[in-house]
């Protein structure tokens, strides 16, 4: 049953690749799409930069934490994490724009940037609602932008999108550039490598 599902998924991917290839070839929109995804990543970096003051030591969220409870160590530690996570997200997006990065590597780095922003929000999960909502609203736009970017990138070159076939049946064997893309995926800096401490324990 599971392998049947895998097979169906693989066939679907194969078909969508064929369709996408046809579109690229007949309509010639590949290039404009690539510049679109580049523009989106630049815009996302810019939007993240604009939010850095909000997370700074005299920023809005710090004042909000102090006003509610100045001894809220978990909130302050979550804030410190965000101060590292936002630049890390920018770093990964910027790195994805580098010309020596493969498409799959760039997608992986872009996904990693989104995860990094989400980690900042997650640190405030158990905080008073007004604080959590404020952080969540602050990062919603760059996260949404990032999602659109990933879709655009995956759409443009589905052949190399890092969508692994779980069981690797013959039809799903990655065809080419596997080594290069693997290397680039490993290069994407993950928050877990970078961050040595957890921001807040999950109480659920
Ligand atoms: C990218 O190209 C696809 C067709 O290959 C098209 O449907 C899609 O709208 C394009 N994306 C953007 C964001 O222009
Ligand atoms: C992006 O990377 C380049 C080097 O590749 C660097 O010069 C530039 O300052 C970086 N931009 C940001 C926003 O980090």
């Amino acid at each position: 049953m599971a392998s049947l599902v895998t097979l169906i998924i693989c066939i679907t991917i194969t078909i969508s690749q064929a369709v996408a290839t046809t579109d690229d070839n007949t309509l010639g929109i590949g290039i404009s799409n690539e510049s679109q995804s580049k523009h989106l990543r630049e815009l996302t970096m810019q939007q993240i930069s604009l939010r850095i003051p909000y997370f700074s030591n005299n920023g809005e969220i710090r004042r909000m934490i102090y006003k509610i409870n100045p001894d809220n160590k978990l909130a302050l530690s979550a804030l410190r994490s965000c101060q590292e996570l936002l630049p890390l997200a920018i770093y990964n997006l910027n790195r994805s724009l580098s010309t020596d990065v493969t498409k799959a590597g760039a997608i992986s780095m872009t996904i990693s940037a989104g995860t990094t922003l989400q980690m900042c929000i997650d640190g405030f999960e158990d905080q008073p609602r007004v604080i959590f909502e404020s952080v969540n609203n602050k990062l919603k736009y760059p996260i949404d932008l990032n999602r659109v970017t990933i879709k655009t990138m995956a759409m443009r070159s589905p052949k190399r999108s890092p969508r692994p076939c779980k069981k690797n049946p013959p039809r799903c064997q990655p065809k080419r550039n596997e080594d290069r893309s693997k290397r680039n995926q490993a290069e994407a800096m993950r928050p877990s490598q970078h961050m040595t401490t957890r921001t807040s324990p999950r109480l659920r």
Side-chain angles (χ1 to χ4, degrees):
M1 183 60 192
S3 65
L4 180 62
V5 173
T6 312
L7 184 60
I8 290 170
I9 291 170
C10 291
I11 291 171
T12 311
I13 291 169
T14 309
I15 291 170
S16 66
Q17 281 173 1
V19 171
T21 308
T22 312
D23 279 359
D24 270 4
N25 292 343
T26 53
L27 302 175
I29 42 183
I31 291 159
S32 71
N33 241 341
E34 183 157 17
S35 70
Q36 172 113 9
S37 102
K38 186 168 174 280
H39 170 74
L40 279 169
R41 276 172 285 165
E42 281 162 355
L43 181 63
T44 310
M45 288 199 292
Q46 195 185 74
Q47 287 297 316
I48 298 170
S49 298
L50 287 174
R51 282 152 180 78
I52 285 178
Y54 166 91
F55 289 97
S56 75
N57 282 336
N58 51 8
E60 199 180 322
I61 189 68
R62 168 88 176 238
R63 288 201 299 272
M64 201 184 283
I65 293 167
Y66 269 40
K67 210 164 115 190
I68 295 174
N69 173 11
D71 286 333
N72 191 338
K73 292 206 169 58
L74 278 183
L76 291 172
S77 128
L79 177 62
R80 273 195 303 278
S81 294
C82 291
Q83 290 171 356
E84 294 186 44
L85 291 168
L86 266 62
L88 183 58
I90 293 174
Y91 170 85
N92 268 322
L93 286 171
N94 195 29
R95 179 95 182 77
S96 82
L97 293 170
S98 161
T99 47
D100 63 350
V101 165
T102 61
K103 289 281 177 319
I107 292 176
S108 169
M109 287 162 193
T110 307
I111 291 172
S112 182
T115 311
T116 303
L117 294 179
Q118 190 59 50
M119 273 184 77
C120 165
I121 296 177
D122 290 349
F124 289 94
E125 211 168 41
D126 303 312
Q127 296 304 323
R129 187 149 194 87
V130 60
I131 292 181
F132 177 81
E133 288 296 327
S134 177
V135 174
N136 195 37
N137 288 338
K138 205 72 186 172
L139 293 182
K140 193 177 180 309
Y141 182 54
I143 287 177
D144 284 348
L145 265 181
N146 191 255
R147 280 204 192 105
V148 173
T149 311
I150 293 161
K151 270 190 202 146
T152 308
M153 294 170 90
M155 207 189 286
R156 194 190 115 49
S157 75
K159 277 169 286 186
R160 294 191 205 167
S161 72
R163 187 160 33 189
C165 289
K166 288 219 173 71
K167 300 217 163 149
N168 245 346
R171 305 186 76 136
C172 302
Q173 298 286 357
K175 280 169 216 120
R176 54 204 160 101
N177 279 338
E178 215 215 333
D179 291 343
R180 269 180 84 203
S181 58
K182 265 200 183 131
R183 197 177 62 219
N184 273 320
Q185 278 166 46
E187 270 174 30
M189 202 198 272
R190 308 260 169 217
S192 53
Q193 289 174 348
H194 185 73
M195 306 292 296
T196 46
T197 52
R198 286 252 345 129
T199 53
S200 78
R202 285 177 197 254
L203 301 176
R204 284 177 192 164

